[in-house]
Amino acid sequence: MKIEQIYTGCLAQGAYYIQSGNEAVIIDPLREVDSYVTKAKENDATIKYIFETHFHADFVSGHVDLAKKTGAQIVFGPTATTVFDSHIGKDGEIFEVGAVKIKLLHTPGHTMESSTFLLLDEEGKEKAIFSGDTLFIGDVGRPDLAVKSDLTEEDLAGHLYESLRYKIMTLPDDVVVYPAHGAGSACGKNMSSETWDTLGNQKKTNYALRADMTKEEFVKEVTEGILPPPQYFAKNAMMNKSGYESIDKVMKTGTVALDVEIFEAMANHEGALVLDTRHQSEFVKAHIPNSIFIGIDGSFAPWVGALITDLKQPIIFLADAGREEEVVTRLSRVGYDHTLGYLKGGIASWIAAGKETDSLASITPQEFESRLSESKLQILDVRKPGEYGAEHVDQAVTFPLDFINTHMSEVSADKQYYLYCAGGYRSVIASSILKSRGIHDLVNVELGFKGISQTGIKTTDFVCPSTIK
């Protein structure tokens, strides 16, 4: 038997490859599926099942494409409905894979169809669980994403409590927990950076598995401090229920090299959004006016999903040479399938063609300290509310990037703003959005709060984020 965790750090997402004999299964595949097909082929195996722990909200799963390419059966948990061919499993149903078995445990709570898949080895021993968003390392799934008129987040949290107590915590302590996400995902609020653990250790360390915890205490704790979900979550879940465009077609359309004139015409006359995916330092020096920066080397896809509100928005982009396919792939993972191509030759070809460029003022933390000592500045802290609450520059106003679209009325084109984040990535994203909306007098603080903390700039007293309500 072979168990492989395929962890994608930029999405904080874990997919799984399990093989026994000549049969394999994939659990929670990412949108691009050729690597799974190749892996099975290299191991002389046939992919028999594609298990989906739930209708993922934070990425588009590759189940539909993978089923078409392999003939494997898609399996969802009880209560799921799909418009494509799939098997809706029953609680306790057994699936045979080579010499091992996989048992479906219906574990509603994060969503009502949420299921955990229990792996039984060749001797029938309970070996591992693939827990989706039911149980994370250090946390459990948020219970507010599947709220309906007849189902509150407290109702869902109650279901989650019972799923954990009666389906998961009764399993042996040496069972290995393989979750769908880790730290950085918005599907929980306190996830560990570890990507697996034993169930016994989670019973000791995970706040939500505390042995003496009542249902009322559980509901209160898991529903407190949840930030509103990113706007794309519901849209990705709907794509996972209803199907989507072939990834091969998305890649073919999105990786077209566009010369300067066509690129400009698409931006000016077809309403295509210009997305700059280079490093923030390159964007600061020179970029196409009104383009939006979201660097490929940060949490690219989640930020695209959070900030570009229309999944059908036509997108054209700038990328470092050789990374064009990567950009289109990562856009497709969160449902942005309308990418129309990239600027051939990058910003150099734009400049060589005599086209206008813009730049962003950027200063070191030391220069920021100097200017602060001389005058009062308008300072925007674009980190998450929890980061701001923990510690921030004394004069700074919270202006979280996550919710920038709903806070635009708080800034004025007549004022100058200094922006900082944690390390200098999010502040450039925020600056690009503000500039595209006509707010141009901006100064980015390089290295963000990390750099600021090395200066004498006055900050608020530190408060541990876990104590912030």
Side-chain angles (χ1 to χ4, degrees), residues 1-6 16-26 34-48 97-98:
M1 178 178 58
K2 177 179 185 178
I3 305 172
E4 184 174 346
Q5 182 183 58
I6 307 166
Y16 296 92
Y17 176 90
I18 304 169
Q19 180 177 338
S20 176
N22 293 324
E23 293 183 333
V25 304
I26 305 293
D34 285 347
S35 62
Y36 308 125
V37 177
T38 300
K39 186 180 293 293
K41 187 176 181 180
E42 290 174 347
N43 288 282
D44 194 25
T46 299
I47 298 176
K48 187 175 183 180
V97 182

Side-chain angles (χ1 to χ4, degrees), residues 119-136:
L119 175 63
L120 306 170
D121 68 13
E122 294 84 348
E123 284 74 44
K125 184 178 185 302
E126 293 154 327
K127 182 79 175 177
I129 55 172
F130 302 88
S131 55
D133 287 17
T134 296
L135 175 61
F136 298 128

Side-chain angles (χ1 to χ4, degrees), residues 253-280:
T253 306
T255 54
V256 175
L258 305 170
D259 64 32
V260 171
E261 299 304 326
I262 293 176
F263 190 89
E264 184 177 40
M266 283 186 167
N268 291 339
H269 306 301
E270 297 184 25
L273 183 148
V274 179
L275 182 63
D276 195 322
T277 68
R278 300 172 298 153
H279 191 274
Q280 59 264 29

Side-chain angles (χ1 to χ4, degrees), residues 37 79 104-105 116 118 179 187 208 229 232 237 265 277 279 302 319 368 394-395 397:
V37 177
T79 77
L104 188 155
L105 304 177
T116 295
L118 170 63
C187 286
Y232 71 104
T277 68
H279 191 274
F368 183 46
D394 205 36
Q395 301 174 31
V397 173

Side-chain angles (χ1 to χ4, degrees), residues 18-126:
I18 304 169
Q19 180 177 338
S20 176
N22 293 324
E23 293 183 333
V25 304
I26 305 293
I27 300 177
D28 296 338
L30 280 184
R31 180 75 182 273
E32 69 278 18
V33 298
D34 285 347
S35 62
Y36 308 125
V37 177
T38 300
K39 186 180 293 293
K41 187 176 181 180
E42 290 174 347
N43 288 282
D44 194 25
T46 299
I47 298 176
K48 187 175 183 180
Y49 296 112
I50 304 158
F51 293 116
E52 290 285 328
T53 56
H54 62 296
F55 288 121
H56 311 280
D58 54 339
F59 68 95
V60 180
S61 177
H63 53 304
V64 175
D65 270 337
L66 186 58
K68 288 178 181 175
K69 292 191 175 191
T70 64
Q73 187 172 48
I74 301 169
V75 178
F76 278 97
T79 77
T81 58
T82 66
V83 300
F84 47 82
D85 185 35
S86 65
H87 175 79
I88 306 304
K90 298 180 178 63
D91 185 31
E93 186 170 350
I94 298 287
F95 300 86
E96 295 189 359
V97 182
V100 304
K101 294 180 174 63
I102 294 177
K103 185 177 184 180
L104 188 155
L105 304 177
H106 187 210
T107 50
H110 174 63
T111 62
M112 288 308 290
E113 84 285 356
S114 282
S115 295
T116 295
F117 293 95
L118 170 63
L119 175 63
L120 306 170
D121 68 13
E122 294 84 348
E123 284 74 44
K125 184 178 185 302
E126 293 154 327

